[in-house]
Amino acid sequence: MQKPSLPKGTRDFSPQEMARRNYIFDTIRYVYHLYGFKQIETPAMENLSTLMGKYGEEGDKLLFKILNSGDYLSAVDENILAAKNSNEMVRKISEKGLRYDLTVPFARYVVMHRNELTFPFKRYQIQAVWRADRPQKGRYREFFQCDADTIGSDSLFNEVELIQIMDEVYKRFDIRVCIKINNRKILSGIAEIIGEAEKIVDITVAIDKLDKIGLEGVNAELISKNISQEAIAKLQPIILLSGSTAEKIAVLKTVLSDSEVGMRGLEEIEFIFEKLALLKIKNQIELDLTLARGLNYYTGAIFEVKSLDVAIGSITGGGRYDNLTGVFGMPDVSGVGISFGADRIFDVLNQLDLYPKETTIGTEVLFINFGLAEVNYLLPIVSVLRARGIRVELYPDTAKMKKQMSYADSNNIPFVVLVGEDEMRSKIMRLKNMETGEQHNVDLPALLAFLTNR
Amino acid sequence: MQKPSLPKGTRDFSPQEMARRNYIFDTIRYVYHLYGFKQIETPAMENLSTLMGKYGEEGDKLLFKILNSGDYLSAVDENILAAKNSNEMVRKISEKGLRYDLTVPFARYVVMHRNELTFPFKRYQIQAVWRADRPQKGRYREFFQCDADTIGSDSLFNEVELIQIMDEVYKRFDIRVCIKINNRKILSGIAEIIGEAEKIVDITVAIDKLDKIGLEGVNAELISKNISQEAIAKLQPIILLSGSTAEKIAVLKTVLSDSEVGMRGLEEIEFIFEKLALLKIKNQIELDLTLARGLNYYTGAIFEVKSLDVAIGSITGGGRYDNLTGVFGMPDVSGVGISFGADRIFDVLNQLDLYPKETTIGTEVLFINFGLAEVNYLLPIVSVLRARGIRVELYPDTAKMKKQMSYADSNNIPFVVLVGEDEMRSKIMRLKNMETGEQHNVDLPALLAFLTNR
């Protein structure tokens, strides 16, 4: 007899974990809806031709590939078989892979449905993604992303809106955060000013590590990338620039005055902060020049959110990009998006114990089963409660009282109703509060009133 | 430049399709909650050792298998490679597969979490499953199942409850259905009486085809299974038995009086109909002896739901089973469950045009963008609306009026608000109903009142 197990890096979600995950997804979804984002979903499987080459060489390796159906070996050349080259062979025996993120499937979606879409197109997507990464604490091979993007509009009001959304979502979670903003154009301006414009990627990658390896580490990395001592020297004060956002912008305006792209980035940042000042933003927002997100992808705003109370990486990230769909033959689709990391939010909420109490209450009342006559009497009553939207269980077996009460306990059911022979005769019910132990006699109207007003 | 496509048998869900699918899932979920079912989820990937051998030989072939990561060929014996036997090879290069249904993962879940569970355990699960079936109209390789099961209780009140759930869900969908009930024990009793007890599977498989191949076809199939002419003759009147459920039961009581198992099945059916009579069931419910669901799995009640207004197969099915987890080394877990076929319900709702109008309304109001000054003025107003839970968009670009109005149209946004220079000065807003074309001047309190009372 086999003892069953799960593939490593995957997990089951128990009713309690589902209730918590639903709380996270429902909150994010609710806020996305408030701002007019529309949900789409794409299949778990995509053609490998859609996925390969989009995530770098490392990403290609981390894709889960699906074996072709049927006699998948029949068409494979004997020489390829004999060569025993796993990479070569994949192309012959697998045509599909599991979704690795939500961005590439979204790009494919936009290209395939271009004629049905109205731009700007505001879409959100909350789905699992799969990566054959080495599993570790808090990192899974199946995990969830919650993306929102607005494409087909260059307006910076889209950036403002996404910042509002991040602020609103964390306000609802009661997680205190700092929303960090940067702009890729400012980074390009800096690289230009110090005369290393073509090394912008190396520079941003190095800057991105400031928190982890410190200033000396960053400088060492810049040297290793053949960036001149002179340029590195010019870079120091800029990267370590401190003070308020207004102060930073003032200094940068002087430093970047000769860089057209840099000045444009500053204008964008100023515009965004100016609009945010018109709105009631609850969380900290700051310009953070060390924010570079390693990616060669963003062309304007860059966002990152950090929890102020739990030491964990970024819990939301995003930015503006120029060319979502070029790789699929549809040029000039620009957009801006964010992605909430559901698993890390789950960890933060757990650690700070911030789930509302209602989150894990499913059934509101359990009716105890004293026997067939009692159940016959209760069936229509239970139906009346459900018709009012009250979540009710009637214990299915005439089991010992203790067992039924412990069922209510284990399932976190706050109230129990007891109706035996006496109660049937007098048409009352005993209502027990499972938390306080208090009992009251109620008739049906009183029970309904009590439960609907809770 | 590649033109992207989707793997065959898979599909994207557009915002409209998502809204409709969410309506279906939310309705089913809501009713499951009313009856105290708790949600779980399991990973998309399971070990092949969990999946293989559970769905018959054909099922094993239809499993999507995932290629092992890394240099998956390195450990494969040269002889196996040379043999070019796809089936042999799978075992060497694949250890995981995609979920094929929700029952086997649920069984695995119960065994792995047995110490955390309180029985009876009422779980529901709404997730995608994948099968490498030949795709056809209405049949996909990725589709959704919505299962609810109560395990660890033999009480027939569980059957009653699941029938109530089916009735309630279809009432909410406004789909008129017939809920068909049978009992495997009655079928066993019939086989026993006609002296072919060991051929019960052949007999039920044949009976299951009555609708498709007619009585003669069924008889021919019974002959081909070596069932005696005498037995087939005895079978005819029983299978074609008609009349009310009470009449059928009365006849069967005589016919099956010598079969202990048959009489037990009749008692169960009687109990269930007796309890249903105490409840307000809206849809037709009937005992249908031809209902056999081909499966060798059910041991008691068998359920099937048919739409009365659309010719499509069963839209919900289920039944009672004795041994959910035996194959994983945990004996004696009995239960009863149902599964809603989301894709067929989707088709029925589409065909009968039964979606509530609100289903596809996302954003409730679009604010037109007349320029920077107007947007500055509107930003805080829009925030006030969102704080009241109203779904609002502010068009991000100062585009031509016609473009913005057509955005509202395409996105099915029922109201548009126009605020230009004059309106800013007089602190009113022009509210336009997109359906009727009517316009009204409103101030903020009036707008809020109007939108919250809709």
Side-chain angles (χ1 to χ4, degrees):
Chain A
M1 207 66 79
Q2 53 172 311
K3 204 177 145 203
S5 64
L6 271 177
K8 70 177 170 180
T10 68
R11 59 210 147 134
D12 288 323
F13 287 87
S14 70
Q16 199 211 36
E17 287 158 341
M18 277 312 294
R20 292 178 165 196
R21 215 187 73 190
N22 285 338
Y23 167 68
I24 294 173
F25 288 172
D26 289 347
T27 302
I28 294 171
R29 198 189 335 254
Y30 182 82
V31 177
Y32 282 163
H33 284 168
L34 280 183
Y35 286 80
F37 285 80
K38 284 164 279 286
Q39 189 174 17
I40 69 162
E41 283 197 4
T42 62
M45 296 185 277
E46 293 276 353
N47 289 321
L48 280 179
S49 56
T50 300
L51 300 175
M52 296 284 275
K54 310 301 189 297
Y55 309 104
E57 222 177 292
E58 190 56 22
D60 283 353
K61 279 188 205 150
L62 299 183
L63 288 170
F64 281 108
K65 288 142 196 122
I66 294 163
L67 206 53
N68 293 341
S69 303
D71 189 7
Y72 59 91
L73 283 180
S74 67
V76 182
D77 191 276
E78 330 288 319
N79 294 327
I80 289 179
L81 275 172
K84 239 182 144 177
N85 181 328
S86 290
N87 280 335
E88 280 293 309
M89 182 94 154
V90 165
R91 271 168 253 183
K92 308 293 175 190
I93 63 176
S94 169
E95 278 162 13
K96 294 180 287 291
L98 293 180
R99 187 167 58 221
Y100 180 89
D101 70 358
L102 302 180
T103 302
V104 169
F106 175 48
R108 180 204 43 74
Y109 179 94
V110 170
V111 174
M112 284 179 65
H113 299 266
R114 60 212 290 178
N115 296 325
E116 305 148 32
L117 300 180
T118 307
F119 295 98
F121 180 49
K122 299 167 84 168
R123 90 84 170 78
Y124 79 89
Q125 201 170 344
I126 299 180
Q127 292 194 274
V129 302
W130 295 270
R131 296 182 186 177
D133 248 325
R134 192 174 300 279
Q136 15 175 299
K137 191 179 171 302
R139 199 204 277 170
Y140 302 96
R141 291 183 150 196
E142 173 179 82
F143 59 100
F144 291 86
Q145 294 189 333
C146 312
D147 287 19
D149 288 80
T150 300
I151 60 167
S153 163
D154 293 330
S155 165
L156 292 168
F157 284 115
N158 298 303
E159 275 83 341
V160 172
E161 181 170 279
L162 291 172
I163 294 166
Q164 287 180 275
I165 287 176
M166 293 187 271
D167 183 57
E168 179 71 27
V169 164
Y170 287 108
K171 195 176 92 189
R172 283 170 186 264
F173 284 143
D174 211 12
I175 296 176
R176 299 188 321 131
V177 297
C178 177
I179 302 172
K180 298 176 174 206
I181 311 180
N182 197 4
N183 192 300
R184 181 58 176 266
K185 297 193 180 91
I186 297 180
L187 296 177
S188 301
I190 293 169
E192 202 173 285
I193 293 300
I194 61 171
E196 300 274 6
E198 73 291 351
K199 295 221 168 107
I200 171 71
V201 175
D202 290 338
I203 291 171
T204 56
V205 166
I207 292 174
D208 197 24
K209 297 183 182 165
L210 186 69
D211 275 358
K212 282 186 207 147
I213 61 176
L215 187 59
E216 280 180 38
V218 172
N219 287 341
E221 175 151 337
L222 290 171
I223 291 169
S224 79
K225 297 291 179 189
N226 292 322
I227 291 165
S228 72
Q229 287 291 356
E230 197 194 336
I232 292 173
K234 276 194 196 161
L235 216 48
Q236 308 300 298
I238 296 173
I239 301 307
L240 295 172
L241 199 71
S242 64
S244 72
T245 297
E247 285 164 355
K248 287 180 189 169
I249 289 176
V251 175
L252 284 167
K253 270 193 183 162
T254 321
V255 181
L256 296 180
S257 57
D258 287 341
S259 162
E260 200 193 319
V261 64
M263 291 304 279
R264 249 189 299 133
L266 276 173
E267 269 165 41
E268 291 184 12
I269 286 282
E270 273 194 295
F271 181 93
I272 290 169
F273 274 94
E274 187 191 305
K275 299 307 159 199
L276 291 174
L278 299 174
L279 296 160
K280 286 184 194 136
I281 300 293
K282 204 203 153 206
N283 288 288
Q284 289 179 23
I285 307 205
E286 65 173 47
L287 169 62
D288 181 350
L289 290 183
T290 71
L291 186 68
R293 295 187 62 78
L295 279 168
N296 201 2
Y297 181 65
Y298 292 125
T299 54
I302 303 172
F303 309 122
E304 199 166 281
V305 178
K306 294 249 183 180
S307 158
L308 294 180
D309 299 307
V310 175
I312 199 167
S314 155
I315 52 180
T316 299
R320 179 170 282 280
Y321 44 85
D322 260 358
N323 187 7
L324 178 70
T325 52
V327 69
F328 297 122
M330 184 180 171
D332 301 327
V333 175
S334 71
V336 56
I338 53 174
S339 181
F340 286 93
D343 294 285
R344 284 187 173 171
I345 294 172
F346 188 83
D347 287 347
V348 171
L349 288 171
N350 275 333
Q351 219 163 309
L352 302 175
D353 197 17
L354 287 178
Y355 289 100
K357 204 184 158 199
E358 315 82 72
T359 308
T360 48
I361 292 183
T363 298
E364 295 161 282
V365 202
L366 174 71
F367 280 72
I368 299 296
N369 179 335
F370 283 107
L372 210 49
E374 284 82 355
V375 173
N376 285 348
Y377 175 83
L378 287 175
L379 276 177
I381 293 178
V382 165
S383 289
V384 169
L385 266 67
R386 289 193 185 121
R388 300 287 186 92
I390 301 162
R391 299 184 298 275
V392 187
E393 285 181 68
L394 172 57
Y395 198 87
D397 304 277
T398 310
K400 289 213 176 98
M401 184 69 171
K402 201 183 151 195
K403 192 177 176 199
Q404 299 191 46
M405 290 310 247
S406 106
Y407 178 86
D409 261 340
S410 321
N411 284 294
N412 205 18
I413 302 175
F415 296 96
V416 156
V417 171
L418 304 103
V419 174
E421 263 179 57
D422 291 351
E423 286 80 10
M424 285 208 294
R425 216 173 300 121
S426 53
K427 303 213 163 171
I428 58 131
M429 297 178 258
R430 268 195 298 146
L431 172 66
K432 181 174 176 176
N433 181 320
M434 290 298 285
E435 200 177 341
T436 64
E438 282 178 288
Q439 298 200 16
H440 292 283
N441 286 340
V442 289
D443 58 9
L444 180 57
L447 181 66
L448 279 170
F450 174 76
L451 292 170
T452 42
N453 293 332
R454 276 217 314 136
Chain B
M1 205 66 79
Q2 52 171 311
K3 204 177 146 203
S5 63
L6 271 176
K8 68 176 172 183
T10 69
R11 60 209 147 136
D12 289 322
F13 287 88
S14 72
Q16 200 212 35
E17 288 158 342
M18 278 310 295
R20 292 178 165 195
R21 214 186 74 191
N22 284 338
Y23 167 69
I24 294 173
F25 289 172
D26 290 347
T27 302
I28 294 171
R29 199 190 333 255
Y30 181 82
V31 176
Y32 282 163
H33 284 169
L34 280 182
Y35 286 80
F37 285 80
K38 285 165 278 288
Q39 189 175 17
I40 70 162
E41 283 197 4
T42 61
M45 296 185 276
E46 295 276 352
N47 289 321
L48 280 179
S49 55
T50 300
L51 300 176
M52 295 284 277
K54 309 303 188 297
Y55 308 105
E57 222 176 292
E58 189 56 22
D60 283 353
K61 279 189 205 148
L62 299 183
L63 287 168
F64 281 109
K65 287 142 196 123
I66 294 163
L67 206 52
N68 292 342
S69 302
D71 189 7
Y72 59 91
L73 282 179
S74 67
V76 181
D77 192 276
E78 331 288 318
N79 294 329
I80 289 179
L81 275 172
K84 241 183 140 176
N85 180 329
S86 290
N87 280 335
E88 279 295 309
M89 182 94 153
V90 165
R91 271 167 253 184
K92 307 294 174 189
I93 63 175
S94 170
E95 278 162 11
K96 294 181 287 291
L98 292 180
R99 185 166 60 220
Y100 180 90
D101 72 358
L102 302 180
T103 302
V104 169
F106 175 48
R108 179 204 45 72
Y109 179 94
V110 170
V111 174
M112 283 179 67
H113 298 268
R114 60 211 290 178
N115 296 324
E116 305 148 32
L117 299 181
T118 306
F119 294 98
F121 180 49
K122 297 167 85 166
R123 89 83 170 79
Y124 79 89
Q125 199 170 345
I126 300 180
Q127 292 194 273
V129 301
W130 295 271
R131 297 181 187 178
D133 249 325
R134 191 175 301 279
Q136 13 176 300
K137 191 177 173 304
R139 199 204 277 171
Y140 302 96
R141 291 182 151 197
E142 173 179 81
F143 58 99
F144 291 85
Q145 294 189 333
C146 312
D147 287 20
D149 289 80
T150 299
I151 60 167
S153 164
D154 293 330
S155 164
L156 291 169
F157 284 115
N158 297 302
E159 275 83 341
V160 173
E161 181 169 279
L162 290 173
I163 294 165
Q164 287 181 273
I165 287 176
M166 293 187 272
D167 182 58
E168 179 70 28
V169 164
Y170 286 107
K171 195 176 91 190
R172 283 171 185 264
F173 285 142
D174 211 13
I175 295 176
R176 300 187 321 132
V177 296
C178 177
I179 302 172
K180 297 176 173 205
I181 311 180
N182 197 3
N183 193 300
R184 180 58 176 266
K185 296 192 180 91
I186 297 180
L187 295 177
S188 301
I190 293 169
E192 204 173 284
I193 294 301
I194 62 170
E196 299 276 5
E198 73 290 351
K199 294 220 168 107
I200 171 73
V201 175
D202 290 337
I203 292 172
T204 56
V205 166
I207 292 173
D208 198 23
K209 296 182 184 166
L210 185 69
D211 275 357
K212 282 185 208 148
I213 61 177
L215 187 60
E216 280 179 39
V218 172
N219 287 341
E221 176 152 335
L222 290 170
I223 291 169
S224 79
K225 297 290 179 189
N226 292 323
I227 292 165
S228 70
Q229 287 290 357
E230 195 194 337
I232 292 173
K234 276 193 196 163
L235 215 49
Q236 307 301 297
I238 297 175
I239 301 307
L240 294 173
L241 197 71
S242 65
S244 73
T245 297
E247 287 164 353
K248 288 180 189 169
I249 290 176
V251 174
L252 284 166
K253 270 194 182 162
T254 321
V255 181
L256 295 179
S257 58
D258 287 341
S259 162
E260 199 193 320
V261 63
M263 290 305 278
R264 249 189 299 133
L266 276 173
E267 270 166 40
E268 291 184 11
I269 286 281
E270 274 194 294
F271 181 93
I272 291 169
F273 275 93
E274 186 192 307
K275 299 308 159 198
L276 291 174
L278 299 173
L279 296 159
K280 287 183 194 135
I281 299 294
K282 203 202 155 209
N283 287 291
Q284 288 179 23
I285 307 205
E286 65 172 47
L287 169 61
D288 181 350
L289 291 183
T290 71
L291 185 69
R293 293 186 63 77
L295 280 166
N296 200 1
Y297 180 65
Y298 293 124
T299 53
I302 303 173
F303 308 123
E304 200 167 280
V305 178
K306 294 248 184 182
S307 158
L308 294 181
D309 299 307
V310 175
I312 200 168
S314 156
I315 52 180
T316 299
R320 178 170 282 278
Y321 43 85
D322 259 359
N323 186 7
L324 178 70
T325 52
V327 68
F328 297 122
M330 184 179 171
D332 301 327
V333 175
S334 70
V336 56
I338 53 173
S339 181
F340 286 94
D343 293 284
R344 284 188 173 172
I345 294 172
F346 189 83
D347 287 347
V348 172
L349 288 171
N350 275 333
Q351 219 162 309
L352 300 177
D353 197 17
L354 286 178
Y355 290 99
K357 205 184 157 199
E358 315 82 73
T359 307
T360 48
I361 292 182
T363 298
E364 294 161 282
V365 201
L366 173 72
F367 280 73
I368 299 295
N369 180 334
F370 282 107
L372 210 49
E374 284 83 354
V375 174
N376 284 348
Y377 175 83
L378 287 176
L379 275 178
I381 293 177
V382 165
S383 290
V384 169
L385 265 66
R386 289 193 185 121
R388 300 287 186 91
I390 301 161
R391 299 184 299 274
V392 187
E393 285 182 68
L394 173 56
Y395 198 88
D397 304 277
T398 310
K400 289 212 177 97
M401 184 68 169
K402 199 183 152 195
K403 192 178 176 198
Q404 299 191 45
M405 291 310 247
S406 107
Y407 178 85
D409 261 341
S410 321
N411 284 292
N412 204 17
I413 302 175
F415 296 97
V416 157
V417 171
L418 304 102
V419 174
E421 265 179 55
D422 291 351
E423 286 81 8
M424 286 207 294
R425 215 173 300 121
S426 53
K427 303 212 163 172
I428 57 130
M429 298 178 258
R430 267 196 298 146
L431 173 67
K432 181 174 177 177
N433 181 320
M434 291 298 285
E435 200 177 340
T436 64
E438 281 178 288
Q439 298 199 17
H440 293 284
N441 285 340
V442 290
D443 59 8
L444 180 57
L447 181 67
L448 279 170
F450 174 75
L451 292 170
T452 42
N453 293 331
R454 276 214 316 134

